[in-house]
Amino acid sequence: MKISREEIIHIAKLANLNLTDAEIDKYTNDMEDILTFANTVNNVNTDGVDEAIGTDNHNVFRKDEVKECFDRDELLKNAPSQDEGMFRIPKVIN
Amino acid sequence: MELYELTAHELRDKLANKEVTSKEITESFAKRIQEKEPDVKAFVNTTLDTAIQKAEEVDRKIASGEKLSSLAGIPIGIKDNICTKGVKTTCSSRMLENFVSPYDATVMEKINDEDLVMLGKLNMDEFAMGASTEYSYFKKTSNPWDLNKVPGGSSGGSAAAVAANMVPWALGSDTGGSVRQPASFCGVVGLKPTYGLVSRYGLVAFASSLDQIGPITKDVEDNAILLNMIAGHDEKDSTSANVEKKDYTKALVNDVKGLRIGLPKEYFGEGINPEVKEAVMKVAKKYEEMGATVEECSISVTDYALATYYILACAEASSNLGRFDGIRYGYRTENFNNLKDIYRNSRSEGFGPEVKRRIILGTYVLSSGYYDAYYKKALKVRTVVKQAFKELFKKYDVLLTPTSPTTAFDIGTRSNNPLEMYLADICTVSINIGGVPAISVPCGLDSQGMPIGFQLIGNHFDEETLYKAAYTYEQNTNFKENKPTFKK
């Protein structure tokens, strides 16, 4: 299975990852091997077979009730940057 | 005999008879950790000070006649991808190096409700992706049977700590073998429960439709006791199964007469080390001697299950790990001019090479043009795999296989070829794809003195039969006479 460097660059962009040239080469090779192997799933006859999402395909519902949840300050303790009870990020709109 | 050499149920009995205090037990393990940690490197963080305080608290409660769980005051180790309130949960990743969970995982709530004493957080492959614990950002854990060898993975810290008597028992997590394979490499018992039996709430997600938390213990009895503690429906996990709560210790019966065991021939073919194969065939013979029937069978979808696993696990991982953006928690790059830079640079600097590889593979199989050929197809093959197990369990009570094609290998000799590395998971991944339970039990040593494990696979929610079969084997054999040597 042939994968181009351009495809890996495109996929890395979708995944929000920067790759060095060496990483692009390495992952291009790796993906060729792995996807060739992964492609063997297409040898299985699945005519008329449904997709299995988990063990048991049914929806789980609960009542939409107000409950005690997390403390804002407690959650913000893990934020790399915060200000006045909010996450701080660079300016988005010029 | 030192206290740290005992199993959890032996410690429980000593506590009940007032022969020892929780503080004495905890101090014994603390001393053992201080002695062995420089060699084994099983922990990401220890919590020995708070552990001693907790033990003293339990002792006070016992002294004042308070009614406590019979396991109150017993120490435990926790894999570092299970959220512990107020204690770092790093997933052995730079991304979460300083992350302190604001809440406890449901399994931790259960463990804390029974007043167990946490000794610390155990090393793993980064985000549970790997099979040798060499992909930890922090350290490489050593196998207590030979310090030059890997403990397996991804729950390598948990298995090594149990084998080295640094904790009496531990929790791991298993997405494609991450409890069973390290248990096998380290000569301890590890169970991957039926999908949905144990709540995943607070387990940092790798592949949500495959992940399960499981107990790693010195013997089968401890395993059943720990599963009793952590199993059960949880409304915080919508995939948690609403099944009747069982007492798994009732399954600890020394009797396999009439048990129907299937030996799937695909697990004994090419690529399985001859010493491993021989050891597992001896197990089959032992079961026959003890009154079980053993018969060769076939599960021809095994190879496809592995391909299916890598498609589904990586697809789910790429989606689950999308949350790490350097904004709300986790690592943030210092190198940015705009928001997009924060996302991309934080992720690129915060994730290690194997995590990136799986994110790329997962993003690929989910991307437009490939979704149907890989992801959707794999979901259908998962149905085929599940049906294959279902058919086999009409004829057999359990299936017997090796847990891993090999025993523990030398640190640093893992293949650079990721496909070769993935193929080594052949014995364990189809169980996660099928959602069924499986247990790894030690059954001997290879010519280098490294443990060999066998795996028993059971039907959905039939952990009892696994425990009964594993317990009977254990009671009628003597693996426990072998001890790790800490060979340098």
Side-chain angles (χ1 to χ4, degrees):
Chain A
M1 173 124 194
K2 198 75 196 142
I3 310 281
S4 66
R5 290 182 96 248
E6 286 64 39
E7 274 182 287
I8 294 298
I9 294 167
H10 170 66
I11 293 294
K13 201 177 151 194
L14 292 177
N16 273 320
L17 290 171
N18 302 319
L19 299 182
T20 62
D21 279 348
E23 282 176 322
I24 294 169
D25 289 341
K26 169 85 177 122
Y27 288 136
T28 305
N29 277 327
D30 291 351
M31 285 311 134
E32 282 190 8
D33 279 1
I34 298 168
L35 288 166
T36 302
F37 174 69
N39 209 16
T40 57
V41 294
N42 286 300
N43 299 338
V44 184
N45 181 0
T46 54
D47 292 347
V49 172
D50 286 337
E51 296 147 28
I53 312 293
T55 327
D56 194 2
N57 298 337
H58 68 277
N59 278 323
V60 176
F61 298 101
R62 62 168 169 78
K63 286 201 174 118
D64 188 17
E65 290 166 335
V66 178
K67 278 185 191 163
E68 192 72 22
C69 199
F70 293 107
D71 180 69
R72 187 188 193 105
D73 291 334
E74 191 64 33
L75 291 185
L76 281 165
K77 275 187 193 162
N78 277 302
S81 178
Q82 50 148 316
D83 201 3
E84 296 184 33
M86 284 173 276
F87 299 112
R88 193 178 173 89
I89 59 166
K91 196 169 168 184
V92 178
I93 303 161
N94 282 314
Chain B
M1 191 145 196
E2 300 284 345
L3 288 172
Y4 60 69
E5 292 174 78
L6 301 176
T7 61
H9 60 87
E10 287 164 343
L11 293 168
R12 175 199 64 194
D13 295 345
K14 281 193 177 296
L15 268 170
N17 294 334
K18 307 224 185 295
E19 289 171 51
V20 290
T21 63
S22 172
K23 191 180 178 192
E24 284 164 350
I25 293 172
T26 306
E27 281 175 342
S28 173
F29 281 99
K31 197 172 140 253
R32 179 70 169 177
I33 290 170
Q34 277 155 0
E35 186 187 307
K36 289 296 176 194
E37 178 62 8
D39 282 340
V40 181
K41 301 179 285 287
F43 285 87
V44 177
N45 285 300
T46 54
T47 51
L48 300 182
D49 290 345
T50 49
I52 303 279
Q53 284 169 21
K54 173 77 189 175
E56 286 172 341
E57 184 194 315
V58 171
D59 286 334
R60 273 197 303 275
K61 284 184 188 171
I62 292 172
S64 69
E66 212 172 298
K67 183 101 183 87
L68 298 177
S69 149
S70 63
L71 297 159
I74 306 283
I76 190 167
I78 304 294
K79 187 178 182 179
D80 209 15
N81 60 349
I82 295 172
C83 285
T84 45
K85 190 174 181 176
V87 174
K88 278 184 193 171
T89 299
T90 71
C91 290
S92 291
S93 177
R94 186 185 192 191
M95 184 58 87
L96 290 174
E97 190 171 4
N98 296 308
F99 175 71
V100 179
S101 173
Y103 66 95
D104 270 322
T106 295
V107 292
M108 288 314 300
E109 281 183 1
K110 288 172 183 282
I111 281 169
N112 293 335
D113 281 350
E114 302 217 16
D115 287 305
L116 269 75
V117 175
M118 184 175 76
L119 295 172
K121 303 296 292 288
L122 293 156
N123 199 24
M124 53 187 280
D125 287 294
E126 184 179 358
F127 284 103
M129 297 175 189
S132 66
T133 314
E134 290 173 288
Y135 281 127
S136 166
Y137 173 66
F138 303 111
K139 57 180 79 170
K140 290 181 172 58
T141 298
S142 283
N143 191 312
W145 296 79
D146 180 341
L147 298 172
N148 299 304
K149 293 191 187 288
V150 302
S154 68
S155 310
S158 299
V162 174
N165 288 333
M166 294 156 83
V167 298
W169 53 9
L171 289 184
S173 69
D174 189 316
T175 305
S178 281
V179 160
R180 292 160 284 155
Q181 183 258 23
S184 156
F185 278 17
C186 293
V188 294
V189 179
L191 175 89
K192 198 289 284 183
T194 306
Y195 184 79
L197 183 64
V198 178
S199 169
R200 293 182 298 107
Y201 180 75
L203 170 67
V204 179
F206 160 13
S208 314
S209 76
L210 304 166
D211 299 339
Q212 269 291 285
I213 294 169
I216 298 179
T217 58
K218 290 185 204 173
D219 68 7
V220 177
E221 182 170 350
D222 272 1
N223 210 281
I225 293 168
L226 192 47
L227 185 65
N228 271 354
M229 203 183 313
I230 61 173
H233 179 249
D234 178 15
E235 63 172 20
K236 290 180 189 150
D237 171 4
S238 64
T239 62
S240 156
N242 206 340
V243 289
E244 195 191 339
K245 187 109 175 130
K246 291 175 180 172
D247 177 0
Y248 295 101
T249 60
K250 289 196 175 138
L252 302 172
V253 179
N254 186 350
D255 178 19
V256 289
K257 275 181 212 74
L259 187 79
R260 299 167 303 168
I261 300 177
L263 284 182
K265 60 175 188 227
E266 290 78 8
Y267 288 78
F268 294 88
E270 208 187 323
I272 306 293
N273 175 305
E275 285 190 85
V276 171
K277 186 176 167 177
E278 197 192 318
V280 179
M281 291 312 288
K282 259 172 91 177
V283 174
K285 214 167 155 229
K286 182 78 199 171
Y287 273 118
E288 272 187 329
E289 284 168 24
M290 296 187 295
T293 61
V294 179
E295 190 179 281
E296 190 181 273
C297 62
S298 170
I299 178 155
S300 59
V301 290
T302 305
D303 286 343
Y304 302 126
L306 186 61
T308 305
Y309 173 80
Y310 275 96
I311 294 170
L312 297 181
C314 293
E316 293 182 27
S318 74
S319 173
N320 275 325
L321 271 56
R323 73 190 62 172
F324 296 102
D325 55 6
I327 305 292
R328 293 154 300 162
Y329 53 87
Y331 176 83
R332 178 185 282 194
T333 179
E334 287 176 2
N335 164 29
F336 64 89
N337 292 313
N338 56 45
L339 188 62
K340 199 80 185 163
D341 287 349
I342 289 192
Y343 295 157
R344 296 188 69 152
N345 296 347
S346 299
R347 290 167 63 78
S348 304
E349 294 162 24
F351 290 137
E354 180 59 23
V355 174
K356 285 183 200 169
R357 178 157 42 232
R358 296 202 196 193
I359 291 175
I360 287 171
L361 177 60
T363 307
Y364 184 93
V365 299
L366 289 174
S367 66
S368 161
Y370 300 103
Y371 180 87
D372 284 353
Y374 290 103
Y375 184 68
K376 208 168 168 187
K377 181 74 185 184
L379 288 177
K380 288 182 179 173
V381 177
R382 164 144 69 182
T383 307
V384 175
V385 173
K386 285 168 135 178
Q387 280 167 351
F389 275 116
K390 216 174 190 174
E391 282 305 309
L392 278 178
F393 286 118
K394 283 181 187 163
K395 275 185 83 178
Y396 305 104
D397 300 309
V398 294
L399 305 175
L400 170 64
T401 75
T403 306
S404 168
T406 67
T407 52
F409 45 89
D410 286 347
I411 293 173
T413 58
R414 177 199 55 205
S415 169
N416 275 327
N417 177 334
L419 181 59
E420 265 176 42
M421 190 173 76
Y422 297 169
L423 291 175
D425 297 341
I426 186 77
C427 298
T428 46
V429 294
S430 51
I431 286 84
N432 301 72
I433 294 292
V436 291
I439 192 167
S440 179
V441 181
C443 62
L445 300 177
D446 71 3
S447 49
Q448 291 189 59
M450 298 309 288
I452 300 171
F454 70 90
Q455 173 175 251
L456 293 169
I457 309 167
N459 205 351
H460 283 113
F461 299 108
D462 191 13
E463 277 76 4
E464 289 149 303
T465 304
L466 291 184
Y467 279 137
K468 185 176 158 185
Y471 182 77
T472 304
Y473 177 82
E474 189 188 62
Q475 294 300 307
N476 291 282
T477 51
N478 53 5
F479 178 83
K480 273 191 107 177
E481 287 170 14
N482 301 297
K483 303 283 178 212
T485 54
F486 300 92
K487 189 172 118 191
K488 287 193 184 174

